[in-house]
Amino acid sequence: MAGSFGSINTALSGLRYNQVALDVAGNNIANASTDGYVRRRVVGASVSSAQAALWSRYDGHGEGVAVGEVRRMTDPLLDARVRREHGLLSYLSTSRTILARVEEGVGEPGPNGVHAAMLDLRNAWQDLSLNPGGTAARQQVLGRAETLAQALRSQVANITGEEADQRVNATNLVSEVNTAASGLAALNHDILVTEQNGTDAGVLRDRRDQLALRLAELTGAVTTVESDGQFTVSVAGTALVQGKEAGAFVLASGITPTGGADGSPISYRIDASWGSTVLPSGSAGPSGELGAVTEILTTTLPSYRAGLDAVAADLAASVNAQQAAGYDATGAAGGPLFGYDPLVGAASLQVVITDPARLAASSVGGGALDGGNADLLSRVGTYPDAYQRLVNGLGTDVAALDRRTANQVALAGALDDAREQQAGVNLDEETVNMVTAQRAYEAAARLLTTLDEVLDTLINRTGLVGR
């Protein structure tokens, strides 16, 4: 459109466009500290009515500007990497936190640990070998044997308590997964409807991105952006969310609804309108926090408990066998010092002798004051070395997780920084955008004033010469 009146529309388009630019900059500044907010930028589109057709003629020079789009400053590839690395970070940090807590409960090395109790018992046997007739020395052996049994039972109780806590944690995580999946599916639908109506859905997209990130942290979920902009979320290769529908993430076995153990391996299933699928286990199964909890419950804690059971079994078997090879203070053959049920494990370890005279310190019968068997009892079994290897293995696992977690924190942090540069609000930049929009608005207003003066001259003053 050419002509003086057409230029008025050009000036008006500049006023409208820069008003939007000011609004967007103001919204960015207002949400500078809002979690998950992605800054917007106004993209202008030059307006022209020129038609590319034979014999067509256009005498204008453009007809102003329009808002082409209000663009969310996101990078889909970067977002996908952030979700993936945060899922792995959640897996490592959760594993590290749980194992560090278990290690703290072990209390090794320390004066109150199991290893110290083992050494104290062996020293007590040595003292008894030097004074086989001493009641105090015999009482000391019984006391330290009970201390050792209690220390082992305490460690098993810590493991049992941690397992119970993590089973409850797993049920809570499953509940959170379903809540996030339902919310994401609803946002998929809302975004589709909102954008089809021509309304900006930036806020809804911000919320959906947050839920996709949370699902990645919970399960290592992978998000795929479909051609229509909808998110499809898969866990261990199985779709959990498709469009506006979300499947149900189910604890299929291993943990009861109340957080108890049902004796079966832990497994997960996704029930959805597109089918019911049992997820693979191990490294191919869910990752993230839920994967870490599952591995802790399936492999790590049972392995450590089995190690404690082996230590307790060796302690009871070796000491009881050597007791049977000696004689007590009455000259009778020695009876078992420790009671141990292999079906229960270390939690069943207890001292079954209450009379100090029943300790088989002598290697000869007839009530002789001989400490030969007590000397042997101070050296039987390999349980101290086995226990030390067990604890060292736990410490090595925690140290390895510390290193991997630190590396992953650095990697995820670098990606977060890159995403913040892309999507975060820079107040300096927004200030520049505001000043630019303000000056452009003033210029457009000045254009409108100038056009008004031109039209006033043409309409009111043309033809007045000579009057």
Side-chain angles (χ1 to χ4, degrees):
M1 182 183 294
S4 301
F5 287 103
S7 296
I8 292 178
N9 286 328
T10 301
L12 178 60
S13 72
L15 292 174
R16 287 173 172 170
Y17 172 80
N18 288 292
Q19 180 62 57
V20 173
L22 281 169
D23 291 343
V24 170
N27 189 53
N28 285 341
I29 293 172
N31 287 281
S33 59
T34 302
D35 288 340
Y37 179 78
V38 175
R39 69 185 172 98
R40 276 70 156 166
R41 189 179 70 187
V42 180
V43 179
S46 179
V47 177
S48 173
S49 60
Q51 297 294 325
L54 186 64
W55 309 116
S56 70
R57 181 178 178 182
Y58 176 66
D59 295 331
H61 304 283
E63 296 173 10
V65 63
V67 177
E69 65 173 312
V70 179
R71 182 177 299 167
R72 291 175 73 243
M73 301 303 291
T74 59
D75 181 345
L77 178 60
L78 181 59
D79 288 347
R81 292 188 63 195
V82 167
R83 286 192 289 267
R84 183 179 68 242
E85 300 304 336
H86 271 265
L88 182 54
L89 176 59
S90 293
Y91 170 83
L92 291 173
S93 59
T94 302
S95 300
R96 175 188 170 279
T97 300
I98 296 172
L99 284 190
R101 190 161 53 237
V102 172
E103 185 185 38
E104 186 177 356
V106 170
E108 300 286 2
N112 301 317
V114 170
H115 193 255
M118 290 176 173
L119 297 182
D120 287 345
L121 176 60
R122 292 200 162 199
N123 290 334
W125 282 118
Q126 272 292 319
D127 292 342
L128 182 58
S129 71
L130 299 175
N131 182 20
T135 302
R138 289 175 176 272
Q139 191 65 48
Q140 179 178 256
V141 169
L142 286 183
R144 291 184 175 177
E146 180 58 33
T147 299
L148 175 56
Q150 285 180 350
L152 280 169
R153 292 199 301 268
S154 177
Q155 280 211 19
V156 173
N158 287 338
I159 299 297
T160 302
E162 189 65 44
E163 288 175 330
D165 291 344
Q166 294 309 319
R167 283 195 296 270
V168 173
N169 188 23
T171 59
N172 292 336
L173 290 175
V174 167
S175 176
E176 188 176 354
V177 168
N178 284 316
T179 301
S182 299
L184 194 146
L187 285 170
N188 262 346
H189 176 260
D190 292 346
I191 290 170
L192 189 64
V193 172
T194 300
E195 293 185 342
Q196 284 177 344
N197 291 334
T199 306
D200 178 53
V203 174
L204 301 178
R205 286 178 174 271
D206 291 347
R207 293 174 184 169
R208 188 177 63 172
D209 285 350
Q210 284 184 292
L211 289 178
L213 177 60
R214 184 57 186 151
L215 280 172
E217 291 175 339
L218 288 170
T219 64
V222 176
T223 297
T224 304
V225 183
E226 304 297 341
S227 58
D228 60 355
Q230 300 288 280
F231 277 6
T232 295
V233 181
S234 301
V235 178
T238 300
L240 175 62
V241 177
Q242 284 186 344
K244 64 179 182 181
E245 292 188 46
F249 194 86
V250 180
L251 239 171
S253 64
I255 301 175
T256 65
T258 57
D262 65 6
S264 301
I266 298 174
S267 64
Y268 300 98
R269 188 181 71 237
I270 293 178
D271 294 336
S273 60
W274 48 87
S276 179
T277 305
V278 176
L279 302 183
S281 59
S283 60
S287 182
E289 292 181 36
L290 196 58
V293 170
T294 304
E295 184 179 6
I296 289 287
L297 286 172
T298 304
T299 305
T300 310
L301 294 183
S303 176
Y304 190 75
R305 179 204 294 274
L308 289 176
D309 291 345
V311 168
D314 180 52
L315 169 67
S318 59
V319 170
N320 289 345
Q322 195 60 47
Q323 270 275 117
Y327 301 90
D328 63 20
T330 66
L337 173 60
F338 290 108
Y340 178 78
D341 184 350
L343 297 178
V344 178
S348 67
L349 185 70
Q350 58 182 336
V351 176
V352 295
I353 289 180
T354 57
D355 183 2
R358 299 292 304 279
L359 292 174
S362 177
S363 59
V364 296
L369 296 178
D370 174 48
N373 201 50
D375 180 54
L376 294 175
L377 279 162
S378 71
R379 290 181 277 119
V380 296
T382 60
Y383 54 88
D385 294 337
Y387 177 74
Q388 201 161 19
R389 285 195 297 273
L390 182 65
V391 172
N392 288 343
L394 178 62
T396 301
D397 290 344
V398 174
L401 282 171
D402 280 341
R403 288 192 295 273
R404 292 182 63 192
T405 303
N407 292 336
Q408 191 63 27
V409 166
L411 177 58
L415 288 174
D416 286 343
D417 290 343
R419 189 176 187 276
E420 183 63 22
Q421 290 182 357
Q422 173 78 19
V425 176
N426 184 312
L427 293 179
D428 294 339
E429 184 178 338
E430 297 304 328
T431 302
V432 171
N433 290 339
M434 287 179 60
V435 171
T436 302
Q438 179 189 4
R439 293 304 183 191
Y441 189 93
E442 291 172 356
R446 180 59 180 162
L447 172 62
L448 192 61
T449 302
T450 302
L451 290 171
D452 180 54
E453 291 178 355
V454 168
L455 290 173
D456 178 64
T457 299
L458 287 173
I459 296 172
N460 298 319
R461 301 182 186 179
T462 302
L464 296 182
V465 177
R467 287 188 179 180

